[in-house]
Amino acid sequence: MIVVETFAEVRAAIGGRSGLVPTMGYLHEGHLSLMERARSQVDTVVASIFVNPLQFGPDEDLGRYPRDLDRDEELAAGAGVDVLFVPDGAEMYSEAAKTSIGLADLTAHFEGARRPGHFEGVALVVTKLLAGIQPDRAYFGRKDAQQLAVVRRLVVDLSLPVEIVPVSTVRDHDGLALSSRNQFLSGEDRVQALSLSQGLLAAADAVEAGERSGHKLEAIVLEDLAGRVEYVALADASTAQPLEGLTTDAFLAVAAVVGETRLIDNIAFSVDGDRVVVDRGVRLDRPSVLESA
Ligand code: AMP
């Protein structure tokens, strides 16, 4: 694996078909599963690490976002990454960007409504990475379901020649969705945080037993939810609009603040007539690398 800092170096290092895994670093098995998927599908696996200031609001945790490049290099190499792109601020934004990408009602709800400007920041950095690297495929986690909807639509609207590959959420052995921010969860908070995945998994059981009402599924998630709840909602997977019933591909999403940490999670559903396939994510059978970080 080589570590490079410029787009030109990334392009020069690519041979054959390439896949890009964009991240903000402080890697865990969720990121690694994207890299491993890429490893199985393309010749050159590129991963990027860039904590993108544009996607953090003024009151968010940009300053305390966890960073550890040595550890990330070791984990990325172990997951089969060929090229690790670690640009500095000047390579990404030599001057403050004047170009912006409008996302219309894709950001009207859920994360978009709570984090003004967040998805516009994501859209700009993802577009820059796709334009500057020109990968054949790019890998995104279902963990960030609204982000996945935004990226898929952006690629269609801008005719970007890349295939977006969604990857299932990786969960800790107890069900908690892995997140770089989990390391802020202390003992009691870690226990409360489990209520997000437990509620979603109970709702997934209800779907498998035939429940299709958005309202009822949301009520199941809310029942034992701890922390300060921001939203619980069933949403259309491609438009990110609220859904009354499970009639099309969808995600059931939750956001809550536990202790000082804002957590999100969701379960994805693919709908084919009366048949619904539930993607609960995959569980680790050993402690996450985050625990030894
Ligand atoms: P981040 O570093 O948080 O920006 O995440 C980089 C990529 O990893 C995004 O596509 C995320 O959706 C994905 N990701 C983050 N956490 C997980 C997880 N637990 N399972 C699967 N993918 C994830």
Side-chain angles (χ1 to χ4, degrees):
M1 185 182 82
I2 58 167
V3 182
V4 301
E5 294 177 3
T6 65
F7 281 115
E9 289 170 294
V10 178
R11 287 193 301 270
I14 289 176
R17 287 179 61 77
S18 60
L20 171 66
V21 180
T23 82
M24 297 204 299
Y26 212 76
L27 302 179
H28 53 65
E29 287 88 345
H31 302 114
L32 303 183
S33 80
L34 272 57
M35 294 167 184
E36 284 157 9
R37 176 72 61 81
R39 180 71 284 156
S40 72
Q41 294 186 340
V42 299
D43 303 305
T44 306
V45 177
V46 181
S48 62
I49 295 181
F50 182 63
V51 182
N52 175 33
L54 292 191
Q55 69 190 68
F56 287 79
D59 300 328
E60 294 184 3
D61 58 353
L62 173 62
R64 73 168 198 153
Y65 198 83
R67 293 167 169 86
D68 187 341
L69 189 55
D70 290 342
R71 185 179 155 276
D72 286 350
E73 284 184 19
E74 202 178 309
L75 290 167
V81 171
D82 299 303
V83 182
L84 188 64
F85 177 44
V86 190
D88 61 15
E91 178 68 3
M92 289 306 283
Y93 305 108
S94 55
E95 297 184 61
K98 289 194 187 285
T99 303
S100 58
I101 297 172
L103 296 164
D105 59 357
L106 279 172
T107 63
H109 305 280
F110 323 122
E111 292 304 285
R114 267 87 191 166
R115 306 183 65 187
H118 168 70
F119 285 120
E120 286 74 10
V122 169
L124 190 67
V125 80
V126 168
T127 304
K128 287 170 73 77
L129 289 167
L130 294 175
I133 295 173
Q134 298 165 18
D136 296 290
R137 293 184 172 180
Y139 297 79
F140 289 86
R142 288 198 188 281
K143 160 92 182 348
D144 298 284
Q146 191 172 11
Q147 169 171 284
L148 180 61
V150 163
V151 170
R152 283 181 139 160
R153 187 58 195 255
L154 153 79
V155 161
V156 170
D157 289 351
L158 300 180
S159 304
L160 300 178
V162 61
E163 183 187 336
I164 301 301
V165 182
V167 179
S168 295
T169 298
V170 178
R171 302 181 173 282
D172 219 328
H173 58 93
D174 53 8
L176 181 69
L178 293 182
S179 161
S180 308
R181 293 183 170 101
N182 289 357
Q183 67 126 8
F184 298 133
L185 295 169
S186 63
E188 178 52 28
D189 292 344
R190 182 75 176 62
V191 176
Q192 291 208 353
L194 276 183
S195 67
L196 279 77
S197 55
Q198 281 166 351
L200 290 171
L201 294 167
D205 290 344
V207 168
E208 284 177 339
E211 185 58 68
R212 296 291 182 266
S213 150
H215 183 68
K216 293 216 172 109
L217 295 172
E218 290 158 15
I220 293 172
V221 181
L222 275 168
E223 208 169 288
D224 292 316
L225 195 54
R228 182 160 55 77
V229 179
E230 292 200 357
Y231 61 81
V232 175
L234 183 70
D236 183 312
S238 51
T239 63
Q241 301 303 306
L243 264 187
E244 292 201 351
L246 196 45
T247 48
T248 185
D249 288 359
F251 56 87
L252 182 63
V254 53
V257 179
V258 176
E260 303 273 286
T261 309
R262 187 171 182 281
L263 299 171
I264 61 170
D265 195 356
N266 74 88
I267 296 231
F269 304 103
S270 31
V271 178
D272 180 12
D274 288 342
R275 223 175 125 251
V276 177
V277 178
V278 182
D279 180 355
R280 298 163 182 257
V282 285
R283 272 190 204 219
L284 297 177
D285 54 12
R286 55 189 185 285
S288 165
V289 291
L290 286 171
E291 271 162 48
S292 53

